[in-house]
Amino acid sequence: MSARATVKKRSAKRKPTFAPLVVAIDTGGTFTDCVWRERGELRTLKVFSTPTDASLAIVSALRTIGVTDDLLLLHGTTVGTNALLERKGARVALVTTAGFEDAIEIGRQARPKLYDFFFDRMPPLVESALRFGVAERTDAHGKILRSATSAELAILREQIAASDAEAIAVCLLFGFANPNNEQVVAQALAPLGLPLSLSYQILPEFREYERMSTVAVNAYLQPLMARYLGNVQTQTAELGANSKPSLKRSSRKSRIFVMQSSGGITALYTAAREPVRTVLSGPAGGVIGAAAAARRSGFDRIIAFDMGGTSTDVSLIDRVPAPSHSAEVAGLPVGVPMLDIHTVGAGGGSLARFDAAGALRVGPESAGASPGPICYGRGMQPTVTDANLLLGRLPADRFLGGDFVLDLERTRCVTQDWLRAQQSRLTLEQFAAGVIRVVNATMEAAIRVVSIERGYDPRDYALVAFGGAGPMHACELAAALRIPQVIIPQMPGALSAYGILVSDVVKDFSRTVLLRCEGAAPLRKLEVEFRKLESAAMAAFRAEVWSGKPCLARSADLRYRGQGYELNISFGKNLLQDFHAEHHRRYGYSHPEGEVEIVTLRLRATLPGANPTSGKNAHQMQSTHRTAENSVAIRRVKPGKAAPPVFERTLLVSGRRYRGPTVITEYSATTVVTGSATFYTDAANNLIVETH
């Protein structure tokens, strides 16, 4: 898709060409972040989120920015994630092959706790009364053995109509091998007017439980996501109509694209039809943004560390962000491609508490955007943000560039009263320091999960810290894990929105083939199947009116015969040799003489996004201009105890080395440099901290 829109005059005289206003917005728990380009430079804006209706914060941000008639909105949303976590999705009717109605509840043999026979299993999204069996059968090779009759389908339609279902998920046995029976069922249920999720469209792969769970998640989110995205579309269109742009346009356009969990954007109507692909929408933007920012400074092996208001997301990137093809979200298997992100309940708004034994705990409960931390003016229970403020790590008058002043005195008083109510003898300083240590331990464990526990040495990577709270804790985490460099990108508090801004348009396609290799890979058969996937990709791009030739990346899932899980290998002439080598690297052994199975073929189609290049610098909305004399200040936690000096990031001399401890402020985040670490800003305007 072209990043510029041309307005043509009907007469012979030509009008100038205008670029649309491209705005990336990431909605989070506490803040909604916006990044856009203005006169060749990146601009950022943070507004408080509106938990009851996330679209209200989007409209508020667009009003502040000043939208034009020609708006291109790239959106990262947490609506799907929150609906799964809170179990507030639609009432779903599941249609499957007769006899397999309870497969979604039986699941896999593995138990969450191996030796606990009394654990509570998480209930499936579809209750027993809403599972309907169809007398049909397709065999493993795609041969139709039996199809449902018209009378049976009519009865099914009546049963679902009487069930008060709000969405329908259709997942028939071996539907991936031949979708005919699923198509017949869909035609019979279409008169009900309910959203339909068909497994052969959502996930045409084997493993019935994972496929059924994925299509059920999609149906569960469909009505909610359709309403939300429709509301965003309506409000942004009305906002454009009511605005007063500086340039008159002959027609008003409002286009919205949504970030996917796989690290690419897609059209609004596609996201509404397949919301399961957006459940990690915002965090995926952060991973893409971290990789792009680090690459400009010459780093391609990084650990992305995103600490926001309610949670922390970590991801290890070895040169390029690679999606996983199976994941678990809110305890539910999801089989669509997702970037490999590990999340823990630790954020700036995480609440501190004492457990029954008197031990200090932090999170996973969060103050969120309402009431928020104590220092925001309404909260009544201490949070990580309050602890940082009490320790002088978060200057009260530099928050959001000074646009929002934190209430230090209220934080002291309310926290002191709360400690008395808890019958704690800790001083304010002891309590705040304890909160920081506890939350750091939680986040350190999360980084270990994606690195050490998977065979990667964190000392070989740089830690890219972002999110509103990430830079405050990054240096301590790097020191604990002996990570040599910390990278604080431009506008770290809005990096997820920046990642959405620079993301490509991505389409992922897959198909299970289950082919055995007898000495060599059946390249001709595979070529035929890949051509089918490529045709589907081109049709999808045309449907969304994208132009250009996409980059097509082929890969295949392979395993030794008898194994239960596969390895994904880039497709090429040496496919089998590459599989043996990767198996040896991953598990320490291989069987070159063993029989290999090609299980699933995958295709990733990519087109450059609407705004693929970065600007010269990042500036905050309504930037305040401070003099050099104001760049350093001394804060005191209490009389007689001096906090580290405070620098404003925009006034650091590029290339000049400084030494900690210090606090560095900017519009979207605050960085705490601990100990004697050295730091400098490089040519890419990234802040580099050397911890060792």
Side-chain angles (χ1 to χ4, degrees):
M1 177 179 177
S2 175
R4 302 187 66 84
T6 303
V7 181
K8 297 182 179 179
K9 194 174 182 179
R10 295 179 181 177
S11 63
K13 187 177 180 180
R14 298 176 59 187
K15 282 189 174 182
T17 299
F18 298 107
L21 175 64
V22 183
V23 181
I25 297 184
D26 175 44
T27 57
T30 305
F31 289 99
T32 292
D33 304 327
C34 311
V35 176
W36 72 101
R37 192 177 306 284
E38 189 173 307
R39 297 183 181 90
E41 294 188 346
L42 293 177
R43 313 285 286 184
T44 66
L45 173 68
K46 295 175 77 73
V47 299
F48 283 102
S49 296
T50 49
T52 55
D53 184 356
S55 65
L56 296 178
I58 294 175
V59 172
S60 173
L62 292 175
R63 287 186 187 278
T64 304
I65 294 170
V67 299
T68 64
D69 284 345
D70 197 2
L71 171 67
L72 181 59
L73 176 62
L74 312 179
H75 182 29
T77 175
T78 58
V79 169
T81 313
N82 293 340
L84 287 176
L85 292 172
E86 300 170 8
R87 290 297 179 103
K88 293 183 178 179
R91 182 176 169 86
V92 176
L94 173 64
V95 179
T96 188
T97 304
F100 290 82
E101 295 90 342
D102 294 328
I104 194 171
E105 185 164 358
I106 295 171
R108 291 293 173 194
Q109 180 179 349
R111 296 196 304 270
K113 298 179 180 179
L114 184 60
Y115 299 108
D116 184 358
F117 294 97
F118 304 100
F119 67 87
D120 294 325
R121 182 186 294 272
M122 182 173 291
L125 294 179
V126 184
E127 59 185 86
S128 178
L130 289 173
R131 305 171 199 159
F132 303 93
V134 177
E136 65 79 41
R137 199 60 181 259
T138 302
D139 70 11
H141 302 288
K143 182 180 179 181
I144 303 294
L145 303 179
R146 187 187 192 283
S147 296
T149 65
S150 299
E152 291 169 336
L153 293 174
I155 294 173
L156 173 67
R157 183 169 57 246
E158 293 174 1
Q159 291 174 328
I160 294 178
S163 69
D164 294 327
E166 299 170 315
I168 303 172
V170 180
C171 183
L172 303 183
L173 190 65
F174 297 115
F176 65 88
N178 187 335
N180 184 71
N181 280 353
E182 286 196 2
Q183 293 168 344
V184 171
V185 171
Q187 292 172 359
L189 299 180
L192 295 176
L194 298 176
L196 275 167
S197 296
L198 308 177
S199 76
Y200 82 91
Q201 294 177 339
I202 304 298
L203 188 67
E205 300 180 21
F206 82 144
R207 292 199 172 97
E208 300 302 319
Y209 170 57
E210 286 76 8
R211 183 160 55 95
M212 187 177 292
S213 174
T214 302
V215 73
V217 169
N218 194 77
Y220 188 73
L221 299 177
Q222 254 188 316
L224 178 67
M225 187 66 79
R227 285 194 300 269
Y228 169 71
L229 292 177
N231 192 28
V232 172
Q233 186 178 42
T234 300
Q235 294 195 50
T236 54
E238 292 174 353
L239 187 62
N242 296 328
S243 66
K244 297 179 180 180
S246 57
L247 295 173
K248 293 182 179 180
R249 308 294 177 92
S250 60
S251 62
R252 176 166 51 85
K253 299 179 181 179
S254 178
R255 292 163 291 167
I256 302 175
F257 298 89
V258 181
M259 187 69 179
Q260 301 176 99
S261 308
S262 60
I265 59 174
T266 190
L268 178 142
Y269 79 87
T270 303
R273 187 182 68 242
E274 299 183 4
V276 69
R277 299 184 183 275
T278 69
V279 292
L280 292 182
S281 176
V287 173
I288 298 299
R295 197 178 301 116
R296 293 201 308 272
S297 293
F299 294 88
D300 58 4
R301 305 184 78 192
I302 65 170
I303 298 174
F305 166 58
D306 177 8
M307 183 180 180
T310 58
S311 63
T312 291
D313 302 311
V314 294
S315 178
L316 186 140
I317 302 170
D318 201 345
R319 296 177 176 81
V320 293
S324 170
H325 300 290
S326 62
E328 193 172 277
V329 180
L332 302 168
V334 176
V336 297
M338 296 184 182
L339 294 180
D340 190 5
I341 300 170
H342 180 63
T343 302
V344 292
S350 294
L351 296 170
R353 57 186 170 83
F354 292 98
D355 64 16
L360 179 61
R361 305 287 184 183
V362 180
E365 298 82 4
S366 173
S370 179
I374 296 171
C375 57
Y376 288 6
R378 290 187 295 171
M380 296 300 295
Q381 186 172 346
T383 66
V384 174
T385 297
D386 297 313
N388 278 306
L389 180 63
L390 290 171
L391 292 174
R393 295 157 55 102
L394 183 59
D397 60 348
R398 302 285 185 95
F399 194 69
L400 292 182
D403 292 341
F404 186 86
V405 179
L406 302 177
D407 195 335
L408 177 58
E409 194 57 38
R410 182 179 190 272
T411 305
R412 286 173 175 161
C413 293
V414 173
T415 303
Q416 190 68 68
D417 291 343
W418 183 84
L419 286 172
R420 291 194 192 99
Q422 303 297 314
Q423 299 181 347
S424 172
R425 297 182 180 180
L426 294 175
T427 65
L428 281 178
E429 185 178 347
Q430 290 171 336
F431 169 72
V435 169
I436 300 303
R437 286 197 297 271
V438 171
V439 77
N440 281 352
T442 300
M443 295 184 295
E444 180 186 337
I447 295 174
R448 288 179 178 273
V449 167
V450 301
S451 58
I452 297 173
E453 293 184 14
R454 298 180 184 178
Y456 297 99
D457 189 340
R459 295 173 295 183
D460 297 334
Y461 294 79
L463 185 67
V464 180
F466 55 103
M472 277 191 290
H473 298 260
C475 288
E476 292 162 322
L477 295 174
L481 293 165
R482 300 177 66 186
I483 297 175
Q485 294 100 7
V486 174
I487 303 172
I488 313 296
Q490 302 179 70
M491 51 189 178
L495 193 72
S496 292
Y498 170 74
I500 296 170
L501 186 73
V502 300
S503 291
D504 294 327
V505 184
V506 174
K507 300 290 181 186
D508 288 290
F509 298 87
S510 62
R511 174 175 168 78
T512 293
V513 292
L514 292 173
L515 296 174
R516 293 182 181 177
C517 302
E518 299 179 357
L523 296 180
R524 290 187 178 180
K525 289 184 179 180
L526 297 178
E527 182 66 28
V528 171
E529 295 299 333
F530 273 121
R531 291 292 184 184
K532 294 178 182 178
L533 296 180
E534 290 172 1
S535 297
M538 298 307 297
F541 282 124
R542 287 193 298 269
E544 294 186 4
V545 202
W546 294 103
S547 60
K549 186 177 181 180
C551 175
L552 303 175
R554 297 175 172 184
S555 66
D557 293 351
L558 286 80
R559 67 186 181 188
Y560 291 118
R561 185 181 178 187
Q563 287 184 326
Y565 294 92
E566 304 81 41
L567 291 176
N568 183 254
I569 307 297
S570 294
F571 182 75
K573 292 186 296 183
N574 298 321
L575 181 64
L576 297 186
Q577 293 90 324
D578 293 343
F579 166 70
H580 295 310
E582 177 62 16
H583 196 283
H584 191 279
R585 189 198 71 81
R586 185 78 63 90
Y587 302 114
Y589 71 96
S590 62
H591 292 305
E593 304 303 323
E595 186 175 2
V596 176
E597 293 178 326
I598 300 176
V599 179
T600 300
L601 303 184
R602 303 188 184 277
L603 178 74
R604 166 161 279 211
T606 306
L607 276 174
N611 218 348
T613 58
S614 61
K616 300 175 183 177
N617 295 293
H619 296 280
Q620 67 269 25
M621 187 69 180
Q622 298 176 343
S623 173
T624 55
H625 301 283
R626 302 178 188 267
T627 63
E629 289 74 19
N630 291 338
S631 64
V632 181
I634 295 294
R635 307 289 176 206
R636 295 182 182 274
V637 179
K638 56 184 180 180
K641 184 161 185 176
V646 179
F647 288 84
E648 184 168 337
R649 179 169 174 171
T650 56
L651 296 177
L652 296 177
V653 179
S654 180
R656 177 180 173 183
R657 290 182 174 269
Y658 302 82
R659 186 174 296 276
T662 191
V663 174
I664 304 169
T665 65
E666 56 185 301
Y667 174 72
S668 65
T670 299
T671 301
V672 175
V673 180
T674 57
S676 58
T678 58
F679 61 94
Y680 62 94
T681 55
D682 64 7
N685 285 328
N686 287 329
L687 179 65
I688 311 296
V689 183
E690 297 178 341
T691 59
H692 292 89

Coordinates of all heavy atoms in Angstrom, one line a residue, residues 139-198:
D139 N -12.0 -38.6 6.8 CA -10.9 -39.4 7.3 C -9.6 -38.6 7.3 O -9.6 -37.4 6.8 CB -10.7 -40.7 6.6 CG -10.3 -40.6 5.1 OD1 -9.8 -39.4 4.7 OD2 -10.3 -41.6 4.4
A140 N -8.5 -39.1 7.8 CA -7.3 -38.4 7.9 C -6.7 -37.9 6.6 O -5.9 -37.0 6.5 CB -6.2 -39.2 8.7
H141 N -7.1 -38.6 5.5 CA -6.6 -38.2 4.2 C -7.5 -37.2 3.4 O -7.2 -36.9 2.3 CB -6.4 -39.5 3.3 CG -5.5 -40.5 4.0 ND1 -4.1 -40.3 4.1 CD2 -5.7 -41.7 4.6 CE1 -3.6 -41.3 4.7 NE2 -4.5 -42.2 5.0
G142 N -8.6 -36.8 4.1 CA -9.5 -35.8 3.5 C -10.7 -36.5 2.7 O -11.4 -35.7 2.1
K143 N -10.8 -37.8 2.8 CA -12.0 -38.4 2.1 C -13.2 -38.2 3.0 O -13.3 -38.5 4.2 CB -11.7 -39.9 1.9 CG -12.8 -40.6 1.2 CD -12.4 -42.1 1.0 CE -13.6 -42.8 0.3 NZ -13.3 -44.3 0.1
I144 N -14.3 -37.8 2.3 CA -15.6 -37.6 3.0 C -16.3 -39.0 3.2 O -16.6 -39.6 2.2 CB -16.5 -36.6 2.3 CG1 -15.9 -35.3 2.1 CG2 -17.9 -36.5 3.0 CD1 -15.6 -34.5 3.3
L145 N -16.4 -39.4 4.4 CA -17.1 -40.7 4.7 C -18.6 -40.5 4.9 O -19.4 -41.4 4.6 CB -16.4 -41.4 5.9 CG -14.9 -41.6 5.8 CD1 -14.4 -42.2 7.1 CD2 -14.6 -42.5 4.6
R146 N -19.0 -39.4 5.5 CA -20.4 -39.1 5.7 C -20.6 -37.6 5.8 O -19.8 -36.9 6.5 CB -20.9 -39.8 7.0 CG -22.4 -39.7 7.2 CD -22.8 -40.3 8.5 NE -24.3 -40.4 8.6 CZ -25.1 -39.5 8.8 NH1 -24.7 -38.2 8.9 NH2 -26.4 -39.7 8.9
S147 N -21.6 -37.1 5.3 CA -22.0 -35.7 5.4 C -23.4 -35.6 6.1 O -24.2 -36.5 6.0 CB -22.1 -35.0 4.1 OG -20.9 -35.0 3.4
A148 N -23.6 -34.5 6.9 CA -24.8 -34.4 7.6 C -26.0 -34.1 6.6 O -25.8 -33.5 5.6 CB -24.7 -33.2 8.5
T149 N -27.1 -34.6 6.9 CA -28.3 -34.5 6.0 C -28.9 -33.1 6.3 O -28.7 -32.4 7.3 CB -29.3 -35.6 6.3 OG1 -29.9 -35.4 7.6 CG2 -28.7 -36.9 6.1
S150 N -29.8 -32.7 5.4 CA -30.5 -31.4 5.5 C -31.3 -31.4 6.8 O -31.4 -30.4 7.5 CB -31.4 -31.1 4.3 OG -30.6 -31.1 3.1
A151 N -32.0 -32.5 7.1 CA -32.8 -32.6 8.3 C -32.0 -32.5 9.6 O -32.4 -31.8 10.5 CB -33.6 -33.9 8.3
E152 N -30.8 -33.1 9.6 CA -29.9 -33.0 10.8 C -29.4 -31.6 10.9 O -29.4 -31.1 12.1 CB -28.8 -34.0 10.6 CG -29.2 -35.5 10.7 CD -28.1 -36.4 10.3 OE1 -27.2 -36.0 9.5 OE2 -28.1 -37.6 10.7
L153 N -29.1 -30.9 9.9 CA -28.6 -29.5 9.9 C -29.7 -28.6 10.4 O -29.5 -27.6 11.1 CB -28.0 -29.1 8.6 CG -26.8 -29.8 8.2 CD1 -26.4 -29.4 6.8 CD2 -25.6 -29.5 9.1
A154 N -31.0 -28.9 10.0 CA -32.1 -28.0 10.4 C -32.3 -28.2 11.9 O -32.6 -27.2 12.6 CB -33.4 -28.4 9.6
I155 N -32.2 -29.4 12.4 CA -32.3 -29.6 13.9 C -31.2 -28.8 14.6 O -31.4 -28.2 15.6 CB -32.3 -31.1 14.2 CG1 -33.6 -31.7 13.6 CG2 -32.2 -31.3 15.7 CD1 -33.6 -33.3 13.8
L156 N -30.0 -28.9 14.1 CA -28.8 -28.2 14.7 C -29.1 -26.7 14.7 O -28.8 -26.1 15.7 CB -27.6 -28.6 13.9 CG -26.3 -27.8 14.3 CD1 -25.8 -28.2 15.7 CD2 -25.2 -28.0 13.3
R157 N -29.6 -26.2 13.6 CA -29.8 -24.8 13.6 C -30.9 -24.3 14.6 O -30.7 -23.3 15.3 CB -30.3 -24.4 12.1 CG -30.6 -22.9 12.0 CD -30.8 -22.5 10.5 NE -31.9 -23.3 9.9 CZ -31.8 -24.2 9.0 NH1 -30.6 -24.5 8.5 NH2 -32.8 -24.8 8.5
E158 N -31.9 -25.2 14.8 CA -32.9 -24.8 15.8 C -32.4 -24.9 17.2 O -32.7 -24.1 18.1 CB -34.1 -25.8 15.7 CG -34.9 -25.6 14.4 CD -35.9 -26.7 14.2 OE1 -36.1 -27.6 15.1 OE2 -36.6 -26.7 13.2
Q159 N -31.5 -25.9 17.5 CA -30.9 -26.0 18.8 C -30.0 -24.8 19.1 O -30.1 -24.3 20.3 CB -30.1 -27.3 18.9 CG -30.9 -28.6 18.8 CD -30.0 -29.8 18.7 OE1 -28.9 -29.8 18.2 NE2 -30.5 -30.9 19.3
I160 N -29.2 -24.4 18.2 CA -28.3 -23.2 18.4 C -29.2 -22.0 18.6 O -28.9 -21.1 19.4 CB -27.3 -23.1 17.3 CG1 -26.4 -24.3 17.3 CG2 -26.5 -21.8 17.4 CD1 -25.3 -24.3 16.2
A161 N -30.2 -21.8 17.8 CA -31.1 -20.7 17.9 C -31.7 -20.6 19.3 O -31.9 -19.5 19.8 CB -32.2 -20.7 16.8
A162 N -32.0 -21.7 19.9 CA -32.7 -21.7 21.2 C -31.7 -21.6 22.4 O -32.0 -21.5 23.5 CB -33.5 -23.0 21.4
S163 N -30.4 -21.7 22.0 CA -29.3 -21.7 23.1 C -28.9 -20.3 23.5 O -28.1 -20.2 24.4 CB -28.1 -22.5 22.6 OG -27.5 -21.7 21.5
D164 N -29.4 -19.3 22.8 CA -28.9 -17.9 23.1 C -27.5 -17.7 22.9 O -26.8 -16.8 23.5 CB -29.3 -17.5 24.6 CG -30.8 -17.4 24.8 OD1 -31.5 -17.0 23.9 OD2 -31.2 -17.7 25.9
A165 N -26.9 -18.4 22.0 CA -25.5 -18.3 21.6 C -25.3 -16.9 20.9 O -26.1 -16.5 20.2 CB -25.0 -19.4 20.8
E166 N -24.1 -16.3 21.1 CA -23.7 -15.1 20.5 C -22.7 -15.2 19.4 O -22.5 -14.3 18.6 CB -23.2 -14.1 21.6 CG -24.2 -13.8 22.7 CD -23.5 -13.0 23.8 OE1 -22.4 -13.4 24.2 OE2 -24.1 -12.0 24.3
A167 N -22.1 -16.4 19.3 CA -21.2 -16.7 18.3 C -21.1 -18.2 18.1 O -21.4 -19.0 19.0 CB -19.8 -16.1 18.6
I168 N -20.6 -18.6 16.9 CA -20.5 -20.1 16.7 C -19.1 -20.4 16.2 O -18.5 -19.8 15.4 CB -21.5 -20.5 15.5 CG1 -22.9 -20.1 15.9 CG2 -21.4 -22.0 15.3 CD1 -23.9 -20.3 14.8
A169 N -18.6 -21.5 16.8 CA -17.3 -22.1 16.4 C -17.5 -23.4 15.8 O -18.2 -24.3 16.4 CB -16.4 -22.2 17.6
V170 N -17.0 -23.7 14.6 CA -17.2 -24.9 13.9 C -15.8 -25.6 13.7 O -14.9 -25.0 13.1 CB -17.8 -24.7 12.5 CG1 -18.0 -26.1 11.8 CG2 -19.2 -24.0 12.6
C171 N -15.7 -26.8 14.3 CA -14.4 -27.5 14.2 C -14.7 -29.0 14.1 O -14.9 -29.7 15.1 CB -13.6 -27.2 15.5 SG -11.9 -28.0 15.5
L172 N -14.7 -29.5 12.9 CA -15.0 -30.9 12.6 C -13.7 -31.7 12.5 O -12.6 -31.1 12.0 CB -15.8 -31.0 11.3 CG -17.1 -30.2 11.2 CD1 -17.8 -30.5 9.9 CD2 -18.0 -30.5 12.4
L173 N -13.8 -32.9 12.8 CA -12.6 -33.8 12.8 C -12.0 -33.9 11.4 O -12.7 -34.1 10.4 CB -13.1 -35.2 13.2 CG -11.9 -36.2 13.5 CD1 -11.1 -35.8 14.6 CD2 -12.5 -37.6 13.7
F174 N -10.7 -33.6 11.3 CA -9.9 -33.6 10.0 C -10.5 -32.5 9.0 O -10.4 -32.7 7.8 CB -9.9 -35.0 9.4 CG -9.2 -36.0 10.2 CD1 -9.9 -37.1 10.7 CD2 -7.9 -35.9 10.5 CE1 -9.3 -38.0 11.5 CE2 -7.2 -36.8 11.2 CZ -7.9 -37.9 11.8
G175 N -11.1 -31.5 9.6 CA -11.5 -30.4 8.7 C -10.4 -29.7 8.0 O -10.6 -29.1 6.9
F176 N -9.2 -29.8 8.5 CA -8.0 -29.2 7.8 C -7.7 -30.0 6.5 O -7.1 -29.4 5.5 CB -6.8 -29.2 8.7 CG -6.3 -30.6 9.1 CD1 -5.3 -31.2 8.3 CD2 -6.7 -31.2 10.2 CE1 -4.9 -32.5 8.6 CE2 -6.3 -32.4 10.6 CZ -5.3 -33.1 9.8
A177 N -8.0 -31.3 6.4 CA -7.7 -32.1 5.3 C -8.7 -31.9 4.2 O -8.4 -32.0 3.0 CB -7.6 -33.6 5.7
N178 N -10.0 -31.7 4.5 CA -11.0 -31.4 3.5 C -12.1 -30.5 4.2 O -12.8 -31.0 5.1 CB -11.6 -32.7 3.0 CG -12.6 -32.5 1.9 OD1 -13.2 -31.4 1.7 ND2 -12.8 -33.5 1.1
P179 N -12.2 -29.3 3.8 CA -13.2 -28.4 4.5 C -14.6 -28.5 4.1 O -15.5 -27.7 4.5 CB -12.6 -27.0 4.1 CG -12.0 -27.2 2.8 CD -11.5 -28.6 2.8
N180 N -14.9 -29.5 3.2 CA -16.3 -29.5 2.6 C -17.4 -29.6 3.7 O -18.4 -28.9 3.6 CB -16.4 -30.7 1.6 CG -17.7 -30.7 0.9 OD1 -18.0 -29.9 0.1 ND2 -18.6 -31.7 1.3
N181 N -17.2 -30.5 4.6 CA -18.3 -30.6 5.6 C -18.4 -29.4 6.5 O -19.5 -29.0 6.9 CB -18.0 -31.9 6.5 CG -18.4 -33.2 5.8 OD1 -19.1 -33.1 4.7 ND2 -18.1 -34.3 6.4
E182 N -17.3 -28.7 6.8 CA -17.4 -27.5 7.6 C -18.1 -26.4 6.8 O -18.9 -25.6 7.3 CB -16.0 -27.0 8.0 CG -15.4 -27.8 9.1 CD -14.2 -27.1 9.8 OE1 -13.9 -25.9 9.3 OE2 -13.6 -27.6 10.7
Q183 N -17.9 -26.4 5.5 CA -18.6 -25.4 4.6 C -20.1 -25.6 4.6 O -20.9 -24.7 4.6 CB -18.0 -25.4 3.2 CG -16.5 -24.9 3.1 CD -15.9 -25.3 1.8 OE1 -16.4 -26.1 1.0 NE2 -14.7 -24.6 1.5
V184 N -20.5 -26.9 4.5 CA -21.9 -27.3 4.5 C -22.6 -26.8 5.8 O -23.7 -26.3 5.8 CB -22.1 -28.8 4.3 CG1 -23.5 -29.2 4.5 CG2 -21.6 -29.2 2.9
V185 N -21.9 -27.1 6.9 CA -22.5 -26.7 8.2 C -22.6 -25.1 8.3 O -23.6 -24.6 8.8 CB -21.6 -27.2 9.4 CG1 -22.0 -26.6 10.7 CG2 -21.7 -28.7 9.4
A186 N -21.6 -24.5 7.8 CA -21.6 -23.0 7.8 C -22.7 -22.4 7.0 O -23.4 -21.5 7.4 CB -20.3 -22.4 7.3
Q187 N -23.0 -23.0 5.8 CA -24.1 -22.6 5.0 C -25.5 -22.8 5.7 O -26.4 -22.0 5.7 CB -24.1 -23.3 3.7 CG -22.9 -23.0 2.8 CD -22.9 -23.8 1.6 OE1 -23.7 -24.8 1.4 NE2 -21.8 -23.6 0.7
A188 N -25.6 -23.9 6.5 CA -26.8 -24.2 7.2 C -27.0 -23.3 8.3 O -28.2 -22.9 8.7 CB -26.8 -25.6 7.6
L189 N -26.0 -22.8 9.0 CA -26.1 -21.9 10.1 C -26.1 -20.4 9.8 O -26.4 -19.6 10.7 CB -25.0 -22.2 11.1 CG -24.9 -23.7 11.7 CD1 -23.7 -23.8 12.6 CD2 -26.2 -24.0 12.4
A190 N -25.8 -20.1 8.6 CA -25.7 -18.7 8.2 C -27.0 -17.9 8.4 O -26.9 -16.7 8.8 CB -25.3 -18.6 6.7
P191 N -28.2 -18.5 8.2 CA -29.4 -17.7 8.5 C -29.6 -17.2 9.9 O -30.4 -16.3 10.2 CB -30.5 -18.7 8.1 CG -29.9 -19.7 7.1 CD -28.5 -19.8 7.6
L192 N -28.8 -17.8 10.9 CA -28.9 -17.4 12.3 C -28.3 -16.0 12.4 O -28.6 -15.3 13.4 CB -28.2 -18.3 13.2 CG -28.8 -19.7 13.3 CD1 -27.9 -20.6 14.2 CD2 -30.2 -19.7 13.8
G193 N -27.5 -15.5 11.5 CA -26.9 -14.2 11.6 C -25.9 -14.0 12.7 O -25.5 -12.9 13.0
L194 N -25.3 -15.1 13.2 CA -24.3 -15.0 14.2 C -22.9 -15.1 13.6 O -22.7 -15.7 12.6 CB -24.5 -16.2 15.2 CG -25.8 -16.2 16.0 CD1 -25.9 -17.4 16.9 CD2 -26.0 -14.9 16.8
P195 N -21.9 -14.5 14.3 CA -20.5 -14.6 13.8 C -20.1 -16.1 13.7 O -20.3 -16.8 14.7 CB -19.7 -13.8 14.8 CG -20.7 -12.9 15.5 CD -22.0 -13.6 15.5
L196 N -19.5 -16.5 12.6 CA -19.0 -17.8 12.4 C -17.5 -17.9 12.4 O -16.9 -17.2 11.7 CB -19.6 -18.4 11.1 CG -21.0 -19.0 11.2 CD1 -21.5 -19.2 9.7 CD2 -21.0 -20.3 11.9
S197 N -16.9 -18.8 13.2 CA -15.5 -19.1 13.1 C -15.3 -20.5 12.6 O -15.8 -21.5 13.3 CB -14.9 -18.9 14.5 OG -14.9 -17.6 14.9
L198 N -14.7 -20.7 11.5 CA -14.5 -22.0 10.9 C -13.0 -22.5 11.0 O -12.1 -21.7 10.7 CB -14.9 -22.0 9.4 CG -16.3 -21.4 9.2 CD1 -16.6 -21.4 7.7 CD2 -17.4 -22.3 9.9

